[in-house]
Amino acid sequence: MKDLENISALMRDIGRRAKAASQELAFASPEQKSTALELAADAIWSRRAEIIDANAKDMAFGEERNLSAAMMDRLMLDEPRIKAMADGLRSVAAQKDPVGSILSEWDMPSGLHIQRVRTPLGVIGVIYESRPNVTADAGALCLKSGNAAILRGGSESFHSAQAIHGCLVEGLKHAELPVDAIQLVPTRDRAAVSEMLTMTDTIDVIVPRGGKGLVGLVQREARVPVFAHLEGIVHIYIDKSADPLKAVEIVLNAKTRRTGICGAAECLLVHRDVVDTIGKDVISALIDKGVEVHAEGELGKAAGAIPASDEDWGKEYLDMIIAARAVDGVDGAIAHIRKYGSNHTDCIIAEDADTVARFFQRLDSAILMHNASTQFADGGEFGMGAEIGIATGKMHARGPVGAEQLTSFKYLVTGNGTLRA
């Protein structure tokens, strides 16, 4: 469908059906929602060969478009990743249902009893690029939180997303929930994205999940509220009190486990007092692993390092590349991160408790870590079952966005013929 008028009609219909479904989901039982997710997980695993075949079409499409190795890694599905997807659905199903939970309650001298209770947001639009597993994660979290979902996957993951979406719909049907609760936009036409950004009558919030170009576009053009982060410019600071072995192992994992995810380390900061010891050991270990290190000053003297330029600071590589520089202690690291960071995830490797406390207190990233790989910046690893994305804003959701953060609240006020004087 290339005609803009047809796309407009298509998206209006999807929005109308999502809004109707959201009104039913708002009071669906926890058992129904969990059953739908468990059955969807079963379907994903039983239909894994079908999903892999669909993914093969997407991988071929990605090769034709000369996607980077990191993007191809994001796109690829195999049995272990499909099992992880199914396990994620089961994990979300097992989470406590947030809808209807009482956040607080109190009595007033007037005789009123007031409760603040969690309630769904309504309809959530999710716009994502090459990672097909987002179809399952986003659909599951929206359902768990009582929200209808409109999913618009990237053109690269078109076939994979369709196969996964079919499994989610199967779960909804068997649980006797509206199949319009999780809808997948059935076109690659980018006009569908533009339509979603202006659907203020039917979409309550947009979640973009992808690269800087996509997120920037959504933040500039959306008339619907947005949960987003623009980039994952992740820093690791190695303090002079760091344990040398921990430093090497954490940095290697944070950079090389998966370079194409938003929690991958992009910049290494080293206390000037340990540049010639821990710093050079870490740089050498990175180079030995095949990482291209763009280093400044003394750190750049390591064999195989490349001199850093001004363009290396504040850059999200999403590749086997990292920037490195020496700083004057924790305050130097804080100053650098404040200038070049993206408020996503930042880490300190240190054994001195006061230094760690200063780092945690004076930085305001959505996730701050101590002596742990930044690859743990993930809702599943936070015990949320999955995440719909990582938000760096401050007005509502922040950090890994799970089912609980996809709710708002309402007040339930009870009287007994109570009148205001």
Side-chain angles (χ1 to χ4, degrees):
M1 298 179 69
K2 286 293 180 183
D3 185 80
L4 185 59
E5 290 183 1
N6 287 340
I7 293 293
S8 296
L10 169 71
M11 296 309 298
R12 283 198 303 270
D13 182 61
I14 287 174
R16 176 186 57 77
R17 290 188 282 122
K19 188 166 185 176
S22 73
Q23 292 165 350
E24 288 191 52
L25 284 183
F27 56 83
S29 71
E31 292 75 20
Q32 273 183 296
K33 291 184 281 185
S34 293
T35 297
L37 294 174
E38 290 282 358
L39 293 173
D42 292 343
I44 280 176
W45 185 242
S46 66
R47 292 161 61 174
R48 60 191 180 277
E50 176 187 332
I51 294 171
I52 289 173
D53 286 345
N55 185 246
K57 296 178 183 177
D58 291 333
M59 293 294 286
F61 183 75
E63 288 175 0
E64 289 173 8
R65 296 186 64 181
N66 296 315
L67 294 185
S68 68
M71 291 293 283
M72 291 294 284
D73 176 64
R74 288 183 175 201
L75 180 59
M76 188 271 292
L77 292 176
D78 55 15
E79 282 209 357
R81 290 188 180 182
I82 291 173
K83 184 178 185 301
M85 211 184 333
D87 289 346
L89 290 179
R90 294 191 178 97
S91 181
V92 173
Q95 299 287 313
K96 182 180 178 182
D97 194 302
V99 180
S101 63
I102 299 171
L103 299 173
S104 59
E105 59 183 320
W106 62 95
D107 293 308
M108 294 298 294
S110 61
L112 295 180
H113 180 71
I114 303 174
Q115 293 178 320
R116 186 186 294 123
V117 178
R118 285 199 184 279
T119 187
L121 295 174
V123 178
I124 298 175
V126 186
I127 302 170
Y128 52 105
E129 292 182 320
S130 58
R131 292 179 65 177
N133 66 293
V134 176
T135 307
D137 290 352
L141 290 168
C142 289
L143 179 61
K144 184 72 175 183
S145 52
N147 297 290
I150 299 175
L151 309 178
R152 202 287 184 177
S155 58
E156 302 91 346
S157 60
F158 187 72
H159 297 289
S160 306
Q162 286 183 319
I164 295 164
H165 176 250
C167 298
L168 297 174
V169 170
E170 186 175 323
L172 291 170
K173 286 179 179 176
H174 286 295
E176 298 183 344
L177 290 170
V179 294
D180 291 333
I182 305 173
Q183 296 182 74
L184 182 69
V185 176
T187 176
R188 283 185 166 122
D189 197 317
R190 292 186 178 181
V193 173
S194 298
E195 290 293 324
M196 287 179 70
L197 300 182
T198 61
M199 289 168 60
T200 54
D201 290 341
T202 52
I203 296 181
D204 294 282
V205 67
I206 292 281
V207 181
R209 189 162 176 182
K212 183 177 181 179
L214 169 68
V215 179
L217 169 73
V218 171
Q219 289 179 323
R220 287 192 306 272
E221 298 188 7
R223 291 172 53 197
V224 179
V226 176
F227 294 165
H229 77 268
L230 193 59
E231 292 179 284
I233 303 171
V234 176
H235 295 79
I236 297 180
Y237 165 60
I238 300 176
D239 186 58
K240 66 179 180 180
S241 69
D243 178 282
L245 181 59
K246 287 181 189 175
V248 171
E249 292 181 342
I250 290 169
V251 173
L252 284 179
N253 184 265
K255 178 70 254 183
T256 68
R257 175 186 165 270
R258 288 188 69 183
T259 59
I261 65 174
C262 61
E266 305 290 17
C267 183
L268 178 65
L269 305 173
V270 182
H271 193 298
R272 203 170 298 281
D273 289 356
V274 293
V275 163
D276 291 330
T277 52
I278 302 174
K280 288 190 175 176
D281 287 345
V282 171
I283 298 295
S284 296
L286 286 165
I287 292 170
D288 288 345
K289 278 284 188 178
V291 178
E292 185 179 296
V293 179
H294 296 194
E296 182 183 75
E298 290 297 311
L299 289 172
K301 294 181 179 179
I306 296 172
S309 68
D310 289 343
E311 286 72 36
D312 285 308
W313 317 121
K315 186 167 183 177
E316 185 180 36
Y317 298 102
L318 298 175
D319 203 348
M320 286 285 278
I321 307 171
I322 195 169
R325 81 181 332 171
V327 292
D328 293 323
V330 67
D331 288 340
I334 290 167
H336 178 100
I337 294 168
R338 284 177 175 173
K339 182 174 182 178
Y340 296 106
S342 61
N343 295 322
H344 188 291
T345 300
D346 296 296
C347 171
I348 179 171
I349 304 174
E351 298 301 314
D352 182 77
D354 290 341
T355 301
V356 175
R358 190 175 185 87
F359 187 87
F360 276 12
Q361 181 186 57
R362 300 195 176 203
L363 285 174
D364 194 33
S365 305
I367 303 170
L368 291 168
M369 293 186 165
H370 170 219
N371 286 356
S373 170
T374 57
Q375 298 257 340
F376 282 107
D378 176 88
E381 296 295 335
F382 277 37
M384 298 175 181
E387 69 179 29
I388 203 168
I390 293 181
T392 55
K394 300 181 182 181
M395 295 305 293
H396 184 81
R398 199 161 198 232
V401 180
E404 187 175 282
Q405 288 184 297
L406 296 177
T407 62
S408 182
F409 56 82
K410 59 185 176 184
Y411 292 95
L412 306 182
V413 182
T414 303
N416 184 19
T418 310
L419 305 178
R420 184 168 179 175

